[in-house]
Amino acid sequence: MDKKVAGLLNEQINKELYSAYLYLDMANFYDSKGLDGFANWYEIQAREEQDHAMLIYKFLHNNGETVTLEAVAKPDKVFQALGDPLAAAHEHEQYVTSLINTIYAAAQAVNDFRTLQFLDWFVKEQGEEEKNSADLITKMELFGSDAKGLYMLNSELGGRVYSAPSLQL
Ligand code: FEO
């Protein structure tokens, strides 16, 4: 595999694990506020990020690459208002999309069609992630300022169930 592409994929493992850590911290925040449904949403989000990391880890191994695991940074976002994690999550997903696009462009530059095919799943996934995070902000703006609305939204998010990624390696 091209060194630059392999290096970017290796870095992405760390970014996905950081994402998991960041979302766990958001779950942590909501748990401390008594919003168990919001906490559930972000606990599942954290699990999905670990899945993303493992998919890339396995892809690199399947292609004969050595994986180097680096330290995962401490989540450093400060949350005060109930909507703060929602805004931070959306911004973070936009950033992750830019990272995936960078790897995609690097793979495209060296005609690495196998990596491009692998990354197609991530490109689609990022579209879903950004839509979900944007929808949550909209719902919070519409219903979150009213106690009953917030209760209903918390119940809805509490119903989210984890499912393994559709991409299997
Ligand atoms: Fe792994 Fe939420 O992107």
Side-chain angles (χ1 to χ4, degrees):
M1 190 181 286
D2 175 76
K3 273 199 172 12
K4 184 179 174 189
V5 174
L8 286 170
L9 284 168
N10 195 112
E11 274 174 33
Q12 193 62 27
I13 295 174
N14 188 276
K15 306 279 188 192
E16 299 291 345
L17 290 174
Y18 173 76
S19 300
Y21 222 28
L22 180 63
Y23 287 133
L24 191 59
D25 201 35
M26 292 180 184
N28 188 29
F29 169 79
Y30 283 121
D31 253 327
S32 74
K33 298 290 182 192
L35 288 168
D36 55 352
F38 283 75
N40 172 65
W41 178 275
Y42 283 110
E43 278 170 30
I44 291 172
Q45 198 64 32
R47 289 183 71 182
E48 284 195 354
E49 299 302 347
Q50 292 174 63
D51 290 337
H52 297 169
M54 285 309 296
L55 285 169
I56 301 169
Y57 169 91
K58 283 188 184 160
F59 179 76
L60 283 171
H61 275 290
N62 287 352
N63 285 280
E65 293 294 327
T66 306
V67 170
T68 306
L69 297 175
E70 304 288 354
V72 179
K74 181 179 174 177
D76 59 350
K77 305 239 191 263
V78 179
F79 308 125
Q80 271 158 356
L82 292 180
D84 286 352
L86 307 181
H90 187 57
E91 198 180 301
H92 185 69
E93 286 304 332
Q94 289 175 323
Y95 166 64
V96 174
T97 297
S98 76
L99 296 174
I100 297 294
N101 288 347
T102 297
I103 309 172
Y104 203 97
Q108 208 161 33
V110 294
N111 288 340
D112 181 350
F113 300 113
R114 193 183 303 154
T115 296
L116 288 173
Q117 199 172 48
F118 169 70
L119 286 175
D120 278 340
W121 184 87
F122 282 83
V123 171
K124 188 161 176 281
E125 174 74 6
Q126 281 312 121
E128 287 168 16
E129 296 275 58
E130 282 191 46
K131 184 184 182 315
N132 287 341
S133 56
D135 285 354
L136 264 185
I137 292 172
T138 304
K139 284 183 183 178
M140 191 65 166
E141 282 170 358
L142 283 170
F143 314 119
S145 55
D146 167 79
K148 241 186 229 171
L150 185 63
Y151 180 82
M152 297 292 284
L153 191 50
N154 186 60
S155 300
E156 181 190 323
L157 298 182
R160 184 180 185 187
V161 178
Y162 168 77
S163 64
S166 54
L167 178 69
Q168 304 288 341
L169 291 181

